[in-house]
Amino acid sequence: MSLNMGNVLGLIFANMHDMLVKDLTETRTTGSVLFGGRYRLIDFPLSNMVNSGITKVGVITKSNYQSLLDHIGSAREWDMARKNGGLSILPPFGNNNIGLYRGRLEALNGARSFIKNARQEYVVLSDCDIVTNMDFRPIVEQHIKSGADITVISHTDNYTKEEIQSSTMLSVDENNRVNSAGIHVKSVSGRATLSLNMFVMEKDYLIKLMEDAEKTGKYSFETDVLRDQVNKINIHAYEYDNFFRRIYSMQSYFDANMDIINPENTVKLFPANKPIYTKVRDNAPTKYGAESEVKNSLIADGCIIEGSVENSVLFRGVKVGKGAKIKDAILMQNTVVDENVSLDAVITDKNVKVHNDIILKGDKKYPMFLGKSAEI
Amino acid sequence: MVSKKECVAMLLAGGQGSRLYALTQNVAKPAVPFGAKYRIIDFTLSNCINSGIDTVGVLTQYQPLVLNDYIGNGQPWDLDSIKGGVHILPPYEKASGGSWYSGTANAIYQNISFVDRYNPEYVVILSGDHIYKMDYNKMLSYHKAKGADATIAVLNVPIEEASRFGIMITDNDDNIIDFEEKPAKPRSTLASMGIYIFNWKKLKQYLIENEKDETQSKDFGKNIIPNMKNAGEKLVAYRFDGYWKDVGTIKSLWDANMDLINPAIPIELEDESWKIYSRNPVLPPQIIGSDATIKNSMVTEGCYINGTVDNSMISEDVTVGKKAVVKNSVLMPGVKVREGAVVVNAIIGENTEIKADVHVGEDEGKSFEETRVAVVGHNITVSNNVKAEEILRESN
């Protein structure tokens, strides 16, 4: 029997982890955080689902979702503007839970009829904090073959304390069975298996978990299922080995952007046969002026560069004036840097304007952040 | 029932473009890549939608596959409207027989029933091989205010260039009183841009008459316009003063590309109020390597540049390797310039590879006007040097 990915429903949580990178999510969901010159974080799970053959996806969101709606539109750019299936954005139903939802199960309960009405037999769940180019097909295939109740996508590596504390640590036996799960484990570093917050299961199984959670007043998939039921149910880990970066802090956001300037990583994240789709903005090509000096950088379309740019990521429509020096910086959409400005280890959000001759310096270990539409 | 439109655009995109040689071997001229991320036809299609014209017939004939594919349902230009939109119109077999389009006027004649479906008051006739930004709606308002039967857009050109164009001679009110095709001694400097607005009912009548007359060729400039003038119809000139270029030759295609990076030339691609739309490739941002030097150039998505790029237009998915030099050149999508190769004063076709250390084109130190441009066709491998003005059609 060949695998039928049309039988898999994709569910993406747009707001999960909003608290981890607060500066960037002040006015938007984690899914709509800008990344890599022309993308938003949701482009990665969504494109991965589309490229894996999934034809119906629900995006579960709770607050600050205006930028998300604007970005996704009719989902035509992801080839998901369909009569059958396609993409649905699922804002909260009713208004009884103001604020961020407490966990995935609670969030899913807000979209229960969408999930129940879907004809698909399996579900793939993903957050928006992982930047990767993932093929879900072998994972779904292994899930079906293993007979597991739940498959958790995970990766084993040497991790820092901060990485482990911001994640879910799994103990996995030689048969890929998960024996225990630790949530936000403190003060541990070293070799560990961490969850990528992506799961595969049968849809009916998910609905059962949602209904049980509602009956018992529980809400978290991690604590109430992964951690507390790990011995009662059959949870498998799928070791994922391709290039990925997890965004769990401003620092990891900065590093992940810098990492994809390296062509070796870019090729892994954007292979020609599995493109990452995003909203088309019809910018002009980027214009390099007579005095421009650009080295080791990732540059989107629509920029006008008259100054020098090194080790930096420039999003669409950024302007860098004459004599300006940009180093180790991330300049988001429509940032305008006037003449003779110097920016070193700085992140600017959308529409920031830095006037003539200003000098700003952060540290690569603690980049300076300028919020949306700031004017300096 | 199709809804009535005030104005329908008919875009002539069937020309072979034989003067572009290797670049139009398998591609119609309007589909030739231009300006780092566009194809020539993007300018006209974008002008249509930006002018509020949402119904466009594109007349194709020569090598239409790439062009058809590129235009698709018209969505990139917002021309996938259910009340109009873009329609590809190849010649087709009718009950009375079928034939190729034998001229610009014949192409419209063969599609009278297409235009009639929208029952328009006016038709604007456009070419798919011009680079310019123009508001056809302003021209239409002018046409209406003048009470004209036909309006021809004209450009004031330097007198020494006038003999390359069809020249309109006007009275003080810009009524066209005479015209000359490529005159040796021009009597005016108003050159026809090949853009016409007609009252549809009137045009239809002249198209039908022209078709009946075996002695006439089937061309707007040679037949329809003179016939209308001789019959006393009101023909007026509409003066356009922006940037406009016909990119029918290698030199003019190269010039127009270079114009985009010349700050003295007034054609802005960044203008938010008049965007030029194109079918976007799905590619990551450009990566500029540690050994790159880029000056006075335009570069787009999917490129990897680690050499020197100077005064050039670099389309999507192009690689310029370490120590390679690209100067005064146009690289079409997917070109690979390997390490140490030199490309100067050249146009390189899509997906062509220039092997390491190979030289294409020559820097003869001539002025821009006198520069001799080397051309390399699409999908070939260049292993040996290519001289100035040489045209390479196959791998060497």
Side-chain angles (χ1 to χ4, degrees):
Chain A
M1 265 289 280
S2 71
L3 181 67
N4 173 14
M5 290 298 285
N7 199 19
V8 179
L9 172 68
L11 290 170
I12 296 174
F13 298 91
N15 288 85
M16 211 55 73
H17 313 291
D18 277 5
M19 303 311 287
L20 289 176
V21 200
K22 272 185 239 161
D23 284 333
L24 295 175
T25 54
E26 201 180 352
T27 59
R28 54 173 80 94
T29 67
T30 297
S32 34
V33 166
L34 292 87
F35 185 85
R38 64 190 296 258
Y39 302 98
R40 305 244 182 187
L41 289 177
I42 195 171
D43 294 339
F44 294 91
L46 186 51
S47 301
N48 291 339
M49 286 179 179
V50 170
N51 289 335
S52 300
I54 293 175
T55 53
K56 186 176 173 73
V57 175
V59 176
I60 294 167
T61 185
K62 177 119 187 182
S63 54
N64 271 343
Y65 50 81
Q66 196 192 334
S67 59
L68 186 75
L69 293 177
D70 179 56
H71 180 67
I72 291 179
S74 68
R76 185 167 53 198
E77 274 105 351
W78 295 264
D79 202 14
M80 288 294 266
R82 307 284 189 87
K83 285 192 177 175
N84 286 309
L87 186 126
S88 308
I89 296 191
L90 306 164
F93 188 75
N95 58 355
N96 46 341
N97 294 306
I98 307 297
L100 287 174
Y101 33 60
R102 294 172 293 172
R104 282 184 190 75
L105 290 174
E106 190 171 81
L108 286 165
N109 268 319
R112 199 187 311 175
S113 61
F114 171 83
I115 298 169
K116 276 193 160 167
N117 291 339
R119 60 168 178 81
Q120 281 74 8
E121 234 180 305
Y122 295 93
V123 285
V124 168
L125 294 90
S126 176
D127 296 348
C128 291
D129 59 332
I130 305 284
V131 172
T132 190
N133 197 304
M134 183 183 283
D135 186 351
F136 288 109
R137 281 172 291 199
I139 304 168
V140 173
E141 209 157 22
Q142 190 199 289
H143 171 80
I144 295 171
K145 219 159 67 186
S146 71
D149 296 318
I150 298 170
T151 293
V152 187
I153 304 174
S154 61
H155 179 71
T156 308
D157 214 330
N158 290 315
Y159 290 106
T160 62
K161 276 184 213 169
E162 204 195 353
E163 284 173 302
I164 291 177
Q165 201 190 324
S166 63
S167 186
T168 301
M169 187 162 74
L170 307 172
S171 149
V172 183
D173 73 14
E174 66 278 9
N175 300 317
N176 296 323
R177 172 98 191 234
V178 177
N179 292 325
S180 70
I183 320 286
H184 305 317
V185 180
K186 284 186 182 150
S187 309
V188 176
S189 64
R191 193 132 190 102
T193 301
L194 297 186
S195 161
L196 299 192
N197 298 324
M198 297 183 198
F199 312 96
V200 184
M201 66 195 88
E202 276 182 33
K203 193 186 81 178
D204 287 346
Y205 193 81
L206 178 67
I207 291 170
K208 185 175 135 312
L209 292 177
M210 286 156 52
E211 286 172 347
D212 288 351
E214 199 176 45
K215 273 182 221 146
T216 54
K218 296 194 168 141
Y219 48 81
S220 166
F221 187 75
E222 266 114 335
T223 17
D224 303 325
V225 179
L226 271 192
R227 188 188 67 191
D228 294 350
Q229 298 188 47
V230 70
N231 294 317
K232 285 184 242 158
I233 62 180
N234 183 0
I235 305 177
H236 269 233
Y238 180 96
E239 178 71 13
Y240 180 71
D241 270 329
N242 289 354
F243 174 84
F244 78 92
R245 289 291 182 268
R246 194 163 66 87
I247 312 297
Y248 56 92
S249 62
M250 193 55 118
Q251 184 63 45
S252 61
Y253 173 79
F254 181 80
D255 292 343
N257 272 283
M258 292 299 151
D259 285 345
I260 61 163
I261 298 174
N262 180 346
E264 278 175 34
N265 295 332
T266 320
V267 168
K268 291 177 198 155
L269 192 54
F270 306 105
N273 59 341
K274 291 189 288 174
I276 302 296
Y277 304 94
T278 191
K279 184 180 178 178
V280 167
R281 290 187 72 232
D282 291 292
N283 293 96
T286 281
K287 203 171 189 172
Y288 295 81
E291 292 159 42
S292 81
E293 262 179 72
V294 182
K295 304 234 186 264
N296 197 41
S297 294
L298 191 71
I299 315 278
D301 267 5
C303 296
I304 300 178
I305 305 175
E306 309 266 9
S308 96
V309 177
E310 199 182 343
N311 306 334
S312 296
V313 175
L314 270 53
F315 284 71
R316 297 187 274 201
V318 168
K319 292 184 178 60
V320 177
K322 277 183 190 158
K325 285 192 179 0
I326 312 294
K327 193 168 168 276
D328 299 314
I330 298 171
L331 308 184
M332 292 187 209
Q333 214 165 294
N334 300 332
T335 292
V336 177
V337 177
D338 282 347
E339 291 184 12
N340 302 316
V341 164
S342 170
L343 300 182
D344 187 350
V346 172
I347 302 175
T348 64
D349 205 322
K350 277 176 75 173
N351 305 325
V352 166
K353 185 160 170 53
V354 185
H355 288 284
N356 281 338
D357 308 314
I358 301 271
I359 297 173
L360 295 174
K361 193 171 173 356
D363 187 285
K364 281 209 274 185
K365 292 283 156 222
Y366 198 84
M368 181 186 287
F369 177 76
L370 304 179
K372 194 171 170 185
S373 305
E375 217 175 312
I376 310 272
Chain B
M1 182 60 198
V2 175
S3 59
K4 180 178 164 63
K5 295 282 172 187
E6 187 191 26
C7 184
V8 166
M10 295 297 271
L11 203 165
L12 299 159
Q16 187 179 348
S18 54
R19 285 174 304 155
L20 290 181
Y21 306 101
L23 299 174
T24 45
Q25 236 167 6
N26 306 304
V27 189
K29 184 161 61 168
V32 168
F34 177 81
K37 76 178 281 187
Y38 307 96
R39 295 191 182 245
I40 292 169
I41 198 172
D42 286 333
F43 286 79
T44 316
L45 287 177
S46 300
N47 285 342
C48 285
I49 197 70
N50 288 335
S51 302
I53 296 174
D54 66 0
T55 308
V56 184
V58 179
L59 299 121
T60 63
Q61 176 154 289
Y62 172 79
Q63 293 283 11
L65 287 183
V66 176
L67 185 61
N68 290 353
D69 214 29
Y70 185 70
I71 294 175
N73 67 351
Q75 180 270 320
W77 305 269
D78 227 357
L79 285 169
D80 55 341
S81 162
I82 52 170
K83 293 185 196 140
V86 66
H87 299 261
I88 307 263
L89 303 169
Y92 62 99
E93 197 81 19
K94 302 154 192 80
S96 54
S99 66
W100 295 107
Y101 296 147
S102 58
T104 50
N106 175 259
I108 306 297
Y109 170 82
Q110 290 203 36
N111 287 287
I112 284 176
S113 58
F114 168 81
V115 180
D116 273 342
R117 293 171 67 198
Y118 299 97
N119 188 24
E121 297 298 316
Y122 309 99
V123 172
V124 50
I125 308 289
L126 304 165
S127 286
D129 48 7
H130 297 163
I131 304 298
Y132 65 117
K133 297 200 287 190
M134 179 175 177
D135 189 342
Y136 305 135
N137 198 35
K138 279 190 187 159
M139 180 171 166
L140 181 60
S141 304
Y142 176 87
H143 174 85
K144 287 193 269 186
K146 284 275 184 181
D149 296 302
T151 299
I152 302 174
V154 296
L155 192 71
N156 207 348
V157 296
I159 185 84
E160 60 273 19
E161 283 180 32
S163 40
R164 297 199 290 118
F165 294 95
I167 294 297
M168 303 290 132
I169 294 111
T170 56
D171 67 12
N172 290 339
D173 240 0
D174 276 347
N175 290 306
I176 295 169
I177 49 174
D178 203 359
F179 31 75
E180 318 174 297
E181 189 62 23
K182 297 184 181 162
K185 285 187 184 155
R187 287 152 63 201
S188 139
T189 54
L190 297 179
S192 166
M193 297 162 66
I195 299 165
Y196 310 98
I197 292 180
F198 294 98
N199 294 355
W200 172 237
K201 283 199 185 86
K202 200 141 259 178
L203 173 64
K204 196 163 112 181
Q205 175 195 327
Y206 279 90
L207 288 173
I208 293 167
E209 281 166 21
N210 175 241
E211 209 51 43
K212 283 184 199 150
D213 187 345
E214 296 284 331
T215 63
Q216 296 207 1
S217 55
K218 315 294 176 214
D219 189 85
F220 275 98
K222 289 194 195 105
N223 312 110
I224 302 296
I225 300 293
N227 293 351
M228 286 182 81
K229 189 193 137 254
N230 294 338
E233 306 288 1
K234 186 174 169 71
L235 309 183
V236 300
Y238 173 74
R239 290 169 187 255
F240 177 72
D241 57 5
Y243 177 89
W244 176 86
K245 196 150 222 155
D246 179 334
V247 287
T249 64
I250 293 292
K251 191 62 197 330
S252 64
L253 180 65
W254 183 81
D255 280 346
N257 270 287
M258 293 297 127
D259 283 348
L260 290 177
I261 38 179
N262 182 348
I265 304 282
I267 181 154
E268 280 294 323
L269 295 176
E270 296 87 10
D271 183 358
E272 285 287 320
S273 66
W274 204 270
K275 274 194 176 184
I276 304 302
Y277 300 96
S278 62
R279 190 172 285 281
N280 278 248
V282 185
L283 291 168
Q286 49 199 282
I287 301 178
I288 312 304
S290 312
D291 296 305
T293 305
I294 309 177
K295 307 250 185 233
N296 204 38
S297 295
M298 284 184 126
V299 184
T300 191
E301 284 154 358
C303 291
Y304 173 63
I305 311 289
N306 203 21
T308 298
V309 173
D310 186 12
N311 212 52
S312 294
M313 299 295 289
I314 313 293
S315 306
E316 73 254 18
D317 202 20
V318 163
T319 299
V320 177
K322 208 170 165 174
K323 296 203 170 89
V325 176
V326 177
K327 195 180 166 194
N328 301 343
S329 292
V330 176
L331 306 191
M332 291 186 177
V335 167
K336 311 284 174 241
V337 180
R338 300 299 181 196
E339 275 192 29
V342 176
V343 177
V344 54
N345 298 335
I347 300 177
I348 313 293
E350 287 186 68
N351 301 316
T352 280
E353 179 182 6
I354 315 293
K355 291 279 194 191
D357 302 317
V358 168
H359 285 225
V360 175
E362 291 173 57
D363 192 352
E364 303 176 299
K366 292 183 175 172
S367 70
F368 254 61
E369 288 70 28
E370 293 173 324
T371 295
R372 298 196 297 157
V373 179
V375 178
V376 178
H378 307 297
N379 303 307
I380 64 182
T381 305
V382 185
S383 312
N384 292 296
N385 293 354
V386 177
K387 290 200 206 74
E389 215 166 31
E390 192 178 333
I391 292 168
L392 188 69
R393 287 189 173 82
E394 289 166 0
S395 300
N396 68 1

